[in-house]
Amino acid sequence: MEEVRELKEVLEKVEAKILAAGKMYGAMNFVVWMNVMLLFYVLMGIFELPGWGIALYWMAGFGGAFWFTGKIWQRLAALMRASGKKGEVSTFGSILIFVSWILGATLGWILIPSTSIAVSEGARMAVGFLSFMTISIFGMWLVFARYGGIEREMVPAFLIPALGIPFAWGMSTGAMIWAGFVVALGFAVTIMWYLYSAFKAIG
């Protein structure tokens, strides 16, 4: 009986470490994306980037972020496989996540800015940006909830930008900068929650 109890304790510790590693992976994902976004704002304050320059930056940002988070995921997946757990993302789930980001980008960066909603062009861009983040991350959250489990920590990342949309709608100046802070706040709360969950798992 003593050996069984010790084995159970070891397995529980391994389970807790895997759970904590998963939460830290979630936090690092949002850290990477927040860095990409904040660097964009820093560069916009120094240089006057043309449209093609902005597109080029985000293409490079997306590529770099996906490469970095992919490397982290490989380590986490290896840890999960070593403990006998599934460490792969289904192809269909990955496609659904990609589709959610495409839908968010189409609505936020193309459709909304091309309309006459909101009080100014800056407000339209801000509403589009907040809508892009809300739809894309919400779609990703739904996929995780369906195929991997509900990630409550991710909720602030799409809920806070969603709550900011009505306020950005009526801003005549500074709307885009304000929207950036709103998204950063949502990401920061999500990161903090993920790290709290990681420490709680191993505490």
Side-chain angles (χ1 to χ4, degrees):
M1 287 296 292
E2 184 66 23
E3 291 179 355
V4 173
R5 187 173 63 82
E6 289 179 358
L7 178 60
K8 183 180 178 182
E9 289 177 355
V10 170
L11 292 175
E12 286 176 351
K13 288 180 180 179
V14 171
E15 184 80 20
K17 288 182 179 180
I18 293 173
L19 177 61
K23 298 301 181 182
M24 286 188 283
Y25 168 76
M28 290 189 73
N29 262 300
F30 283 94
V31 168
V32 170
W33 289 111
M34 187 159 67
N35 281 322
V36 170
M37 183 186 69
L38 293 178
L39 179 59
F40 172 72
Y41 274 94
V42 170
L43 293 176
M44 286 292 286
I46 300 173
F47 307 104
E48 244 185 81
L49 293 176
W52 64 266
I54 293 173
L56 188 63
Y57 172 83
W58 282 105
M59 287 173 62
F62 269 84
F66 279 123
W67 175 83
F68 185 77
T69 55
K71 288 290 184 182
I72 301 171
W73 171 254
Q74 287 175 6
R75 291 178 178 271
L76 177 61
L79 176 64
M80 293 173 68
R81 287 194 299 270
S83 64
K85 291 184 172 292
K86 185 179 179 182
E88 304 294 337
V89 179
S90 70
T91 302
F92 186 63
S94 299
I95 291 172
L96 289 177
I97 291 173
F98 181 72
V99 168
S100 73
W101 282 92
I102 292 296
L103 289 175
T106 302
L107 179 66
W109 292 119
I110 299 174
L111 297 180
I112 291 178
S114 65
T115 65
S116 58
I117 65 170
V119 298
S120 65
E121 182 181 355
R124 283 192 293 276
M125 291 296 294
V127 170
F129 180 41
L130 293 172
S131 300
F132 162 62
M133 286 297 178
T134 299
I135 293 169
S136 302
I137 299 174
F138 178 65
M140 188 165 63
W141 180 77
L142 287 178
V143 174
F144 288 162
R146 173 64 179 83
Y147 294 100
I150 294 176
E151 294 279 326
R152 293 177 300 168
E153 297 88 351
M154 196 185 292
V155 171
F158 64 81
L159 181 60
I160 291 176
L163 294 175
I165 291 174
F167 297 97
W169 201 285
M171 290 185 176
S172 56
T173 58
M176 194 60 184
I177 295 175
W178 183 82
F181 277 103
V182 171
V183 172
L185 175 62
F187 280 23
V189 174
T190 288
I191 292 164
M192 183 173 64
W193 195 349
Y194 264 122
L195 293 178
Y196 172 76
S197 296
F199 278 104
K200 189 177 177 182
I202 59 178

